[in-house]
Amino acid sequence: MKDFFSVLEQRHTTRNYRPDSIDPELVERILRAAQSGPSAGGLQSYGIYRVAESLSRTKLADAADHQEFIAQAPVSLVFCADPEHCAARFGERGRFFAIQDATIAAAYAQLAATALGLSSAWVGRFEEDKVRAAAEIAAHLVPVAVITIGRGDAP
Ligand SMILES: Cc1cc2nc3c(=O)[nH]c(=O)nc-3n(C[C@H](O)[C@H](O)[C@H](O)COP(=O)(O)O)c2cc1C
């Protein structure tokens, strides 16, 4: 396990992945790390969707302006805000909190991937509706970030 500040120094965007699959236990650890972050009212107003199947990866890449490295990555996690959930407690401001909750979770996931010796990229350039379709995301959730995860040329 790496020292926290080494993780910060070593995290960088990787857009070239080896085809090797990722141990599901590592993905579970990343998901647990993502969910360990702060959230407004402790509500965790976000959803995380895992995309690993080949056709879904291709659809996800197409949804993101055909950024082909997304299809190459063995796993992507799609972080989605749940604005209604948070607004029910905090009103209109809660919609903004939900975006922040999802963003924090994505950032934690990316750092966890680095700590586990994996490579990643944050992807924000995408069409929300197409991402929903690619990852079978519930209609009321708002995709905020896609984190591609895999083993790169320089993890
Ligand atoms: C909100 C946001 C959106 C981003 N969208 C994309 C994207 O769509 N495609 C991509 O290749 N990189 C994307 N990136 C990654 C940035 O390009 C990258 O973090 C930046 O160039 C700094 O490089 P580093 O991550 O290696 O430090 C995004 C990063 C953020 C924070």
Side-chain angles (χ1 to χ4, degrees), residues 58-124:
T58 301
K59 286 182 183 172
L60 194 59
D62 290 350
D65 204 16
H66 303 278
Q67 299 184 71
E68 294 307 325
F69 68 89
I70 298 170
Q72 201 184 43
V75 181
S76 287
L77 299 176
V78 186
F79 291 81
C80 304
D82 189 343
E84 298 302 326
H85 184 63
C86 208
R89 167 87 70 90
F90 295 109
E92 275 307 300
R93 184 78 177 153
R95 298 180 188 283
F96 178 58
F97 290 164
I99 303 285
Q100 292 179 82
D101 286 1
T103 305
I104 291 166
Y108 274 45
Q110 197 173 25
L111 292 175
T114 303
L116 292 168
L118 299 170
S119 298
S120 65
W122 187 297
V123 176

Side-chain angles (χ1 to χ4, degrees), residues 26-45:
L26 294 183
V27 178
E28 289 302 326
R29 289 191 73 183
I30 291 168
L31 289 169
R32 287 200 296 274
Q35 291 163 351
S36 73
S39 66
L43 294 178
Q44 297 187 301
S45 300

Side-chain angles (χ1 to χ4, degrees), residues 11-15 64 67 69-70 110 120-126 144-145:
R11 187 217 53 82
H12 65 270
T13 298
T14 296
R15 301 184 180 89
Q67 299 184 71
F69 68 89
I70 298 170
Q110 197 173 25
S120 65
W122 187 297
V123 176
R125 184 158 51 96
F126 54 68
V144 169

